Amino acid sequence: MKLIAASIIVAVIPVVAQAEVIVTKPWARASVLASRPGAAYMTVVSDTDDRLVEIKTPVAGHVMLHRVETDPAGVNRMVHLETLDLSANAPVTLGPGGMHLMLMNLSAKLQEGEKFQMTLFFETAGEVTVEVPVRGPGAINSQDDTP
């Protein structure tokens, strides 16, 4: 009888599915000086609508999300974003010349060949930690070390 009652309770309770965010191709460029900000890039996709609300890494005092805007005169400038909205199953790519992560107040310069941890915090999916390899200072993507 207890088994039947437990089965009924489990059948009636709705199952809450955890959102899943997948981060692919994370990488950062080697930095010239620790006193200058670093930059990191990646592709992020969520299986449901979600929002990136914070990013942390031990190599930087804080991480800022920027997008690039072009004014009417054709001049590009970085614009700080507080959050990043993700639409279900729509990959968002952060890359050179576009949306990117600025690593502010580096604890040391980013050296080519090193790796560091970065944790992204999402409203629904929670925390996602990735290992970020550092590419050369002229790298243009996650696999390339030269321009």
Side-chain angles (χ1 to χ4, degrees):
M1 185 65 177
K2 288 182 182 178
L3 183 58
I4 294 171
S7 297
I8 292 171
I9 290 171
V10 170
V12 179
I13 296 173
V15 176
V16 177
Q18 178 74 18
E20 182 179 26
V21 171
I22 297 172
V23 177
T24 57
K25 300 178 184 172
W27 66 285
R29 278 195 179 135
S31 57
V32 178
L33 302 168
S35 60
R36 301 286 304 157
Y41 314 99
M42 62 192 63
T43 298
V44 182
V45 65
S46 177
D47 64 353
T48 185
D49 290 352
D50 207 339
R51 178 175 289 135
L52 175 63
V53 295
E54 186 177 11
I55 308 112
K56 291 185 179 181
T57 179
V59 303
H62 66 280
V63 180
M64 297 176 73
L65 176 64
H66 287 159
R67 68 181 163 91
V68 176
E69 265 186 10
T70 305
D71 70 19
V75 177
N76 289 339
R77 67 182 186 102
M78 289 185 287
V79 177
H80 173 70
L81 301 175
E82 292 292 331
T83 61
L84 175 62
D85 290 329
L86 301 173
S87 297
N89 302 309
V92 175
T93 298
L94 285 65
M99 198 175 328
H100 58 278
L101 300 175
M102 292 296 296
L103 311 175
M104 310 301 286
N105 302 325
L106 292 174
S107 55
K109 75 180 202 172
L110 301 177
Q111 301 268 25
E112 183 176 357
E114 294 180 342
K115 296 178 182 178
F116 62 89
Q117 298 290 310
M118 181 178 286
T119 302
L120 293 83
F121 298 85
F122 299 89
E123 279 185 353
T124 305
E127 297 179 21
V128 175
T129 300
V130 295
E131 186 172 76
V132 181
V134 179
R135 304 289 181 211
I140 57 173
N141 62 49
S142 64
Q143 303 301 313
D144 187 17
D145 291 334
T146 58

Short mmCIF file of all heavy atoms in Angstrom, two decimals, residues 71-131:
data_model
loop_
_atom_site.label_atom_id
_atom_site.label_comp_id
_atom_site.label_asym_id
_atom_site.label_seq_id
_atom_site.Cartn_x
_atom_site.Cartn_y
_atom_site.Cartn_z
N ASP A 71 29.05 53.98 -34.45
CA ASP A 71 28.25 55.21 -34.49
C ASP A 71 28.06 55.67 -35.94
O ASP A 71 28.63 55.08 -36.86
CB ASP A 71 28.88 56.30 -33.60
CG ASP A 71 30.19 56.85 -34.13
OD1 ASP A 71 30.49 56.69 -35.33
OD2 ASP A 71 30.91 57.47 -33.33
N PRO A 72 27.23 56.68 -36.16
CA PRO A 72 26.96 57.14 -37.53
C PRO A 72 28.21 57.56 -38.32
O PRO A 72 28.23 57.49 -39.54
CB PRO A 72 26.02 58.33 -37.33
CG PRO A 72 25.35 58.07 -36.02
CD PRO A 72 26.39 57.37 -35.18
N ALA A 73 29.27 57.94 -37.61
CA ALA A 73 30.51 58.34 -38.28
C ALA A 73 31.39 57.13 -38.61
O ALA A 73 32.47 57.28 -39.17
CB ALA A 73 31.28 59.33 -37.39
N GLY A 74 30.92 55.93 -38.25
CA GLY A 74 31.68 54.72 -38.55
C GLY A 74 32.72 54.36 -37.50
O GLY A 74 33.57 53.50 -37.73
N VAL A 75 32.65 55.01 -36.34
CA VAL A 75 33.61 54.75 -35.27
C VAL A 75 33.05 53.67 -34.34
O VAL A 75 31.91 53.78 -33.86
CB VAL A 75 33.91 56.03 -34.46
CG1 VAL A 75 34.85 55.74 -33.31
CG2 VAL A 75 34.48 57.10 -35.38
N ASN A 76 33.84 52.62 -34.11
CA ASN A 76 33.43 51.55 -33.20
C ASN A 76 33.76 51.92 -31.76
O ASN A 76 34.78 52.56 -31.50
CB ASN A 76 34.16 50.25 -33.53
CG ASN A 76 33.68 49.63 -34.82
OD1 ASN A 76 32.59 49.92 -35.30
ND2 ASN A 76 34.51 48.78 -35.39
N ARG A 77 32.88 51.50 -30.85
CA ARG A 77 33.15 51.68 -29.43
C ARG A 77 32.55 50.51 -28.67
O ARG A 77 31.59 49.90 -29.11
CB ARG A 77 32.61 53.01 -28.91
CG ARG A 77 31.11 53.11 -28.90
CD ARG A 77 30.65 54.49 -28.41
NE ARG A 77 29.21 54.50 -28.28
CZ ARG A 77 28.55 54.39 -27.14
NH1 ARG A 77 29.21 54.29 -26.01
NH2 ARG A 77 27.24 54.40 -27.10
N MET A 78 33.18 50.20 -27.54
CA MET A 78 32.67 49.11 -26.71
C MET A 78 31.57 49.64 -25.79
O MET A 78 31.69 50.74 -25.25
CB MET A 78 33.80 48.52 -25.87
CG MET A 78 34.80 47.73 -26.67
SD MET A 78 36.03 46.93 -25.64
CE MET A 78 37.02 48.33 -25.15
N VAL A 79 30.53 48.82 -25.64
CA VAL A 79 29.41 49.16 -24.76
C VAL A 79 29.29 48.04 -23.73
O VAL A 79 29.21 46.86 -24.08
CB VAL A 79 28.09 49.29 -25.56
CG1 VAL A 79 26.92 49.56 -24.64
CG2 VAL A 79 28.22 50.38 -26.61
N HIS A 80 29.30 48.42 -22.45
CA HIS A 80 29.19 47.44 -21.36
C HIS A 80 27.76 46.91 -21.28
O HIS A 80 26.80 47.66 -21.36
CB HIS A 80 29.58 48.10 -20.04
CG HIS A 80 29.34 47.25 -18.85
ND1 HIS A 80 30.09 46.12 -18.58
CD2 HIS A 80 28.43 47.33 -17.86
CE1 HIS A 80 29.64 45.56 -17.47
NE2 HIS A 80 28.63 46.27 -17.02
N LEU A 81 27.63 45.59 -21.14
CA LEU A 81 26.33 44.95 -20.95
C LEU A 81 26.28 44.37 -19.54
O LEU A 81 27.21 43.68 -19.12
CB LEU A 81 26.12 43.81 -21.96
CG LEU A 81 26.18 44.17 -23.44
CD1 LEU A 81 26.09 42.92 -24.29
CD2 LEU A 81 25.05 45.13 -23.78
N GLU A 82 25.21 44.62 -18.81
CA GLU A 82 25.05 44.07 -17.47
C GLU A 82 24.75 42.58 -17.52
O GLU A 82 25.20 41.82 -16.65
CB GLU A 82 23.93 44.79 -16.71
CG GLU A 82 24.24 46.23 -16.37
CD GLU A 82 25.35 46.37 -15.33
OE1 GLU A 82 25.52 45.47 -14.49
OE2 GLU A 82 26.05 47.39 -15.38
N THR A 83 23.95 42.15 -18.50
CA THR A 83 23.55 40.75 -18.64
C THR A 83 23.54 40.40 -20.13
O THR A 83 23.60 41.28 -20.99
CB THR A 83 22.14 40.50 -18.06
OG1 THR A 83 21.19 41.29 -18.78
CG2 THR A 83 22.07 40.84 -16.58
N LEU A 84 23.42 39.11 -20.40
CA LEU A 84 23.30 38.64 -21.78
C LEU A 84 22.13 37.69 -21.85
O LEU A 84 22.14 36.63 -21.20
CB LEU A 84 24.58 37.94 -22.22
CG LEU A 84 24.55 37.30 -23.61
CD1 LEU A 84 24.32 38.36 -24.70
CD2 LEU A 84 25.82 36.52 -23.87
N ASP A 85 21.09 38.08 -22.59
CA ASP A 85 19.92 37.22 -22.77
C ASP A 85 20.22 36.15 -23.81
O ASP A 85 20.77 36.45 -24.88
CB ASP A 85 18.71 38.04 -23.21
CG ASP A 85 18.19 38.94 -22.10
OD1 ASP A 85 18.32 38.56 -20.92
OD2 ASP A 85 17.67 40.03 -22.41
N LEU A 86 19.86 34.92 -23.48
CA LEU A 86 20.04 33.79 -24.40
C LEU A 86 18.66 33.28 -24.79
O LEU A 86 17.83 33.03 -23.93
CB LEU A 86 20.81 32.66 -23.73
CG LEU A 86 22.21 32.98 -23.22
CD1 LEU A 86 22.77 31.81 -22.44
CD2 LEU A 86 23.12 33.34 -24.37
N SER A 87 18.43 33.15 -26.08
CA SER A 87 17.20 32.54 -26.58
C SER A 87 17.46 31.05 -26.73
O SER A 87 18.57 30.63 -27.08
CB SER A 87 16.81 33.13 -27.94
OG SER A 87 16.53 34.51 -27.80
N ALA A 88 16.43 30.26 -26.49
CA ALA A 88 16.57 28.80 -26.54
C ALA A 88 17.18 28.35 -27.86
O ALA A 88 16.74 28.78 -28.94
CB ALA A 88 15.22 28.13 -26.34
N ASN A 89 18.21 27.53 -27.78
CA ASN A 89 18.86 26.89 -28.92
C ASN A 89 19.46 27.85 -29.94
O ASN A 89 19.65 27.48 -31.10
CB ASN A 89 17.90 25.91 -29.59
CG ASN A 89 17.42 24.86 -28.61
OD1 ASN A 89 18.21 24.23 -27.93
ND2 ASN A 89 16.11 24.71 -28.51
N ALA A 90 19.72 29.09 -29.54
CA ALA A 90 20.33 30.09 -30.43
C ALA A 90 21.74 30.40 -29.93
O ALA A 90 21.89 31.13 -28.95
CB ALA A 90 19.48 31.36 -30.49
N PRO A 91 22.77 29.85 -30.56
CA PRO A 91 24.14 30.10 -30.09
C PRO A 91 24.50 31.58 -30.14
O PRO A 91 24.11 32.30 -31.07
CB PRO A 91 25.01 29.31 -31.08
CG PRO A 91 24.09 28.35 -31.74
CD PRO A 91 22.73 28.98 -31.73
N VAL A 92 25.22 32.02 -29.12
CA VAL A 92 25.75 33.39 -29.07
C VAL A 92 27.27 33.25 -29.07
O VAL A 92 27.84 32.61 -28.18
CB VAL A 92 25.26 34.14 -27.82
CG1 VAL A 92 25.92 35.51 -27.74
CG2 VAL A 92 23.75 34.26 -27.82
N THR A 93 27.91 33.84 -30.07
CA THR A 93 29.36 33.75 -30.18
C THR A 93 30.00 35.06 -29.75
O THR A 93 29.63 36.12 -30.24
CB THR A 93 29.76 33.41 -31.63
OG1 THR A 93 29.20 32.13 -31.96
CG2 THR A 93 31.27 33.34 -31.77
N LEU A 94 30.93 34.95 -28.82
CA LEU A 94 31.74 36.08 -28.39
C LEU A 94 33.07 35.92 -29.10
O LEU A 94 33.73 34.87 -28.98
CB LEU A 94 31.94 36.05 -26.88
CG LEU A 94 30.75 36.48 -26.00
CD1 LEU A 94 29.59 35.55 -26.14
CD2 LEU A 94 31.17 36.58 -24.56
N GLY A 95 33.46 36.93 -29.89
CA GLY A 95 34.67 36.81 -30.68
C GLY A 95 35.35 38.14 -30.90
O GLY A 95 34.76 39.20 -30.64
N PRO A 96 36.57 38.12 -31.39
CA PRO A 96 37.31 39.36 -31.67
C PRO A 96 36.51 40.28 -32.60
O PRO A 96 35.92 39.82 -33.57
CB PRO A 96 38.59 38.86 -32.36
CG PRO A 96 38.74 37.46 -31.88
CD PRO A 96 37.35 36.93 -31.74
N GLY A 97 36.48 41.56 -32.27
CA GLY A 97 35.77 42.54 -33.08
C GLY A 97 34.28 42.60 -32.81
O GLY A 97 33.57 43.42 -33.37
N GLY A 98 33.79 41.74 -31.94
CA GLY A 98 32.36 41.72 -31.61
C GLY A 98 32.17 41.64 -30.11
O GLY A 98 32.96 42.18 -29.33
N MET A 99 31.11 40.96 -29.70
CA MET A 99 30.86 40.79 -28.28
C MET A 99 32.01 39.99 -27.68
O MET A 99 32.52 39.04 -28.29
CB MET A 99 29.53 40.07 -28.07
CG MET A 99 29.00 40.23 -26.68
SD MET A 99 27.35 39.51 -26.41
CE MET A 99 26.52 39.69 -27.95
N HIS A 100 32.46 40.37 -26.47
CA HIS A 100 33.60 39.72 -25.84
C HIS A 100 33.58 39.95 -24.33
O HIS A 100 32.82 40.77 -23.83
CB HIS A 100 34.91 40.24 -26.44
CG HIS A 100 35.07 41.72 -26.28
ND1 HIS A 100 34.48 42.62 -27.15
CD2 HIS A 100 35.71 42.46 -25.36
CE1 HIS A 100 34.76 43.85 -26.76
NE2 HIS A 100 35.51 43.78 -25.68
N LEU A 101 34.43 39.22 -23.64
CA LEU A 101 34.60 39.40 -22.20
C LEU A 101 35.90 40.13 -21.94
O LEU A 101 36.95 39.75 -22.46
CB LEU A 101 34.62 38.04 -21.49
CG LEU A 101 33.38 37.18 -21.66
CD1 LEU A 101 33.59 35.81 -21.03
CD2 LEU A 101 32.16 37.86 -21.08
N MET A 102 35.84 41.20 -21.16
CA MET A 102 37.04 41.94 -20.78
C MET A 102 37.44 41.50 -19.37
O MET A 102 36.63 41.55 -18.45
CB MET A 102 36.79 43.45 -20.78
CG MET A 102 36.54 44.04 -22.15
SD MET A 102 37.93 43.93 -23.29
CE MET A 102 39.14 44.92 -22.48
N LEU A 103 38.67 41.05 -19.25
CA LEU A 103 39.21 40.60 -17.97
C LEU A 103 39.95 41.77 -17.35
O LEU A 103 41.06 42.11 -17.77
CB LEU A 103 40.13 39.40 -18.18
CG LEU A 103 39.56 38.27 -19.05
CD1 LEU A 103 40.61 37.19 -19.29
CD2 LEU A 103 38.31 37.69 -18.43
N MET A 104 39.33 42.38 -16.36
CA MET A 104 39.85 43.61 -15.77
C MET A 104 40.68 43.30 -14.52
O MET A 104 40.40 42.35 -13.80
CB MET A 104 38.69 44.54 -15.39
CG MET A 104 37.66 44.75 -16.51
SD MET A 104 38.34 45.46 -18.01
CE MET A 104 38.57 47.13 -17.46
N ASN A 105 41.69 44.13 -14.28
CA ASN A 105 42.55 43.99 -13.11
C ASN A 105 43.17 42.60 -13.04
O ASN A 105 43.00 41.87 -12.07
CB ASN A 105 41.80 44.31 -11.81
CG ASN A 105 41.21 45.69 -11.81
OD1 ASN A 105 41.79 46.63 -12.35
ND2 ASN A 105 40.04 45.83 -11.23
N LEU A 106 43.89 42.23 -14.10
CA LEU A 106 44.55 40.92 -14.15
C LEU A 106 45.52 40.77 -12.98
O LEU A 106 46.23 41.72 -12.62
CB LEU A 106 45.31 40.76 -15.46
CG LEU A 106 44.48 40.66 -16.74
CD1 LEU A 106 45.39 40.65 -17.96
CD2 LEU A 106 43.61 39.42 -16.71
N SER A 107 45.56 39.57 -12.41
CA SER A 107 46.50 39.29 -11.32
C SER A 107 47.92 39.10 -11.87
O SER A 107 48.89 39.31 -11.16
CB SER A 107 46.05 38.06 -10.52
OG SER A 107 45.87 36.96 -11.38
N ALA A 108 48.03 38.69 -13.13
CA ALA A 108 49.30 38.54 -13.84
C ALA A 108 48.97 38.55 -15.32
O ALA A 108 47.82 38.33 -15.71
CB ALA A 108 49.98 37.23 -13.45
N LYS A 109 49.97 38.81 -16.16
CA LYS A 109 49.66 38.81 -17.59
C LYS A 109 49.30 37.39 -18.04
O LYS A 109 49.77 36.41 -17.46
CB LYS A 109 50.78 39.42 -18.41
CG LYS A 109 52.00 38.59 -18.60
CD LYS A 109 53.00 39.37 -19.45
CE LYS A 109 53.97 38.43 -20.10
NZ LYS A 109 54.83 39.09 -21.06
N LEU A 110 48.43 37.31 -19.03
CA LEU A 110 48.01 36.01 -19.57
C LEU A 110 49.09 35.52 -20.51
O LEU A 110 49.41 36.18 -21.50
CB LEU A 110 46.67 36.15 -20.30
CG LEU A 110 45.49 36.67 -19.46
CD1 LEU A 110 44.25 36.83 -20.34
CD2 LEU A 110 45.21 35.76 -18.28
N GLN A 111 49.65 34.35 -20.21
CA GLN A 111 50.76 33.80 -20.98
C GLN A 111 50.26 32.74 -21.96
O GLN A 111 49.50 31.85 -21.57
CB GLN A 111 51.77 33.14 -20.03
CG GLN A 111 52.34 34.08 -19.00
CD GLN A 111 53.62 34.74 -19.46
OE1 GLN A 111 53.89 34.88 -20.65
NE2 GLN A 111 54.43 35.15 -18.51
N GLU A 112 50.71 32.83 -23.19
CA GLU A 112 50.36 31.83 -24.19
C GLU A 112 50.70 30.43 -23.69
O GLU A 112 51.77 30.21 -23.12
CB GLU A 112 51.13 32.13 -25.49
CG GLU A 112 50.80 31.19 -26.62
CD GLU A 112 51.50 31.57 -27.91
OE1 GLU A 112 52.21 32.59 -27.95
OE2 GLU A 112 51.32 30.83 -28.90
N GLY A 113 49.77 29.50 -23.89
CA GLY A 113 49.97 28.12 -23.46
C GLY A 113 49.39 27.80 -22.08
O GLY A 113 49.20 26.64 -21.73
N GLU A 114 49.11 28.83 -21.29
CA GLU A 114 48.50 28.61 -19.98
C GLU A 114 47.00 28.38 -20.13
O GLU A 114 46.42 28.62 -21.20
CB GLU A 114 48.75 29.81 -19.06
CG GLU A 114 50.19 30.01 -18.69
CD GLU A 114 50.42 31.21 -17.78
OE1 GLU A 114 49.53 32.09 -17.68
OE2 GLU A 114 51.48 31.25 -17.17
N LYS A 115 46.37 27.98 -19.05
CA LYS A 115 44.91 27.81 -18.99
C LYS A 115 44.43 28.37 -17.67
O LYS A 115 45.18 28.38 -16.69
CB LYS A 115 44.52 26.34 -19.09
CG LYS A 115 44.89 25.69 -20.40
CD LYS A 115 44.54 24.23 -20.41
CE LYS A 115 44.97 23.62 -21.75
NZ LYS A 115 44.70 22.19 -21.81
N PHE A 116 43.18 28.83 -17.64
CA PHE A 116 42.59 29.29 -16.39
C PHE A 116 41.11 28.93 -16.37
O PHE A 116 40.51 28.66 -17.40
CB PHE A 116 42.81 30.80 -16.18
CG PHE A 116 42.20 31.69 -17.22
CD1 PHE A 116 40.89 32.16 -17.09
CD2 PHE A 116 42.92 32.08 -18.34
CE1 PHE A 116 40.32 32.98 -18.05
CE2 PHE A 116 42.37 32.91 -19.31
CZ PHE A 116 41.06 33.36 -19.15
N GLN A 117 40.54 28.92 -15.17
CA GLN A 117 39.13 28.61 -14.98
C GLN A 117 38.30 29.88 -15.06
O GLN A 117 38.73 30.95 -14.60
CB GLN A 117 38.90 27.95 -13.61
CG GLN A 117 39.61 26.63 -13.43
CD GLN A 117 39.01 25.54 -14.27
OE1 GLN A 117 37.81 25.32 -14.26
NE2 GLN A 117 39.85 24.85 -15.02
N MET A 118 37.11 29.76 -15.64
CA MET A 118 36.15 30.85 -15.67
C MET A 118 34.78 30.26 -15.37
O MET A 118 34.42 29.23 -15.92
CB MET A 118 36.15 31.54 -17.04
CG MET A 118 35.18 32.71 -17.13
SD MET A 118 35.25 33.54 -18.74
CE MET A 118 36.80 34.40 -18.60
N THR A 119 34.05 30.93 -14.47
CA THR A 119 32.71 30.45 -14.12
C THR A 119 31.68 31.47 -14.58
O THR A 119 31.79 32.66 -14.28
CB THR A 119 32.59 30.22 -12.60
OG1 THR A 119 33.59 29.27 -12.20
CG2 THR A 119 31.22 29.68 -12.24
N LEU A 120 30.70 30.98 -15.33
CA LEU A 120 29.60 31.80 -15.82
C LEU A 120 28.37 31.46 -14.99
O LEU A 120 28.10 30.28 -14.74
CB LEU A 120 29.34 31.53 -17.31
CG LEU A 120 30.46 31.96 -18.26
CD1 LEU A 120 31.55 30.92 -18.33
CD2 LEU A 120 29.91 32.22 -19.64
N PHE A 121 27.63 32.48 -14.58
CA PHE A 121 26.45 32.29 -13.74
C PHE A 121 25.21 32.67 -14.54
O PHE A 121 25.11 33.79 -15.06
CB PHE A 121 26.54 33.16 -12.49
CG PHE A 121 27.71 32.82 -11.62
CD1 PHE A 121 28.97 33.35 -11.86
CD2 PHE A 121 27.56 31.95 -10.55
CE1 PHE A 121 30.06 33.04 -11.06
CE2 PHE A 121 28.65 31.62 -9.74
CZ PHE A 121 29.89 32.17 -10.00
N PHE A 122 24.25 31.73 -14.64
CA PHE A 122 23.02 31.92 -15.39
C PHE A 122 21.83 31.91 -14.45
O PHE A 122 21.83 31.19 -13.44
CB PHE A 122 22.87 30.82 -16.45
CG PHE A 122 23.98 30.81 -17.45
CD1 PHE A 122 25.14 30.08 -17.24
CD2 PHE A 122 23.87 31.57 -18.61
CE1 PHE A 122 26.18 30.09 -18.16
CE2 PHE A 122 24.91 31.59 -19.53
CZ PHE A 122 26.06 30.85 -19.31
N GLU A 123 20.80 32.69 -14.77
CA GLU A 123 19.59 32.75 -13.93
C GLU A 123 18.95 31.39 -13.75
O GLU A 123 18.54 31.03 -12.65
CB GLU A 123 18.56 33.71 -14.53
CG GLU A 123 18.83 35.14 -14.23
CD GLU A 123 17.73 36.06 -14.73
OE1 GLU A 123 16.79 35.61 -15.44
OE2 GLU A 123 17.79 37.26 -14.41
N THR A 124 18.82 30.62 -14.81
CA THR A 124 18.12 29.34 -14.75
C THR A 124 19.07 28.16 -14.63
O THR A 124 18.89 27.28 -13.80
CB THR A 124 17.23 29.16 -15.99
OG1 THR A 124 16.36 30.29 -16.09
CG2 THR A 124 16.40 27.89 -15.90
N ALA A 125 20.10 28.13 -15.43
CA ALA A 125 21.00 26.98 -15.48
C ALA A 125 21.99 26.93 -14.32
O ALA A 125 22.60 25.90 -14.08
CB ALA A 125 21.76 26.95 -16.81
N GLY A 126 22.19 28.04 -13.64
CA GLY A 126 23.15 28.06 -12.55
C GLY A 126 24.56 28.30 -13.05
O GLY A 126 24.78 29.05 -13.99
N GLU A 127 25.53 27.65 -12.40
CA GLU A 127 26.94 27.87 -12.72
C GLU A 127 27.45 26.91 -13.79
O GLU A 127 27.12 25.73 -13.76
CB GLU A 127 27.81 27.64 -11.47
CG GLU A 127 27.55 28.58 -10.34
CD GLU A 127 28.43 28.26 -9.14
OE1 GLU A 127 29.49 27.59 -9.30
OE2 GLU A 127 28.06 28.69 -8.04
N VAL A 128 28.27 27.45 -14.68
CA VAL A 128 28.98 26.63 -15.66
C VAL A 128 30.44 27.09 -15.62
O VAL A 128 30.73 28.25 -15.85
CB VAL A 128 28.41 26.82 -17.09
CG1 VAL A 128 29.24 26.05 -18.11
CG2 VAL A 128 26.95 26.41 -17.15
N THR A 129 31.34 26.15 -15.29
CA THR A 129 32.76 26.47 -15.23
C THR A 129 33.47 25.85 -16.43
O THR A 129 33.22 24.69 -16.76
CB THR A 129 33.38 25.96 -13.91
OG1 THR A 129 32.71 26.59 -12.82
CG2 THR A 129 34.86 26.28 -13.84
N VAL A 130 34.30 26.65 -17.07
CA VAL A 130 35.05 26.18 -18.24
C VAL A 130 36.53 26.45 -18.03
O VAL A 130 36.92 27.34 -17.28
CB VAL A 130 34.57 26.85 -19.54
CG1 VAL A 130 33.14 26.47 -19.87
CG2 VAL A 130 34.71 28.36 -19.48
N GLU A 131 37.34 25.67 -18.72
CA GLU A 131 38.78 25.90 -18.75
C GLU A 131 39.09 26.70 -20.01
O GLU A 131 38.69 26.31 -21.10
CB GLU A 131 39.52 24.57 -18.77
CG GLU A 131 41.02 24.73 -18.67
CD GLU A 131 41.71 23.39 -18.49
OE1 GLU A 131 41.82 22.66 -19.50
OE2 GLU A 131 42.11 23.09 -17.35
#
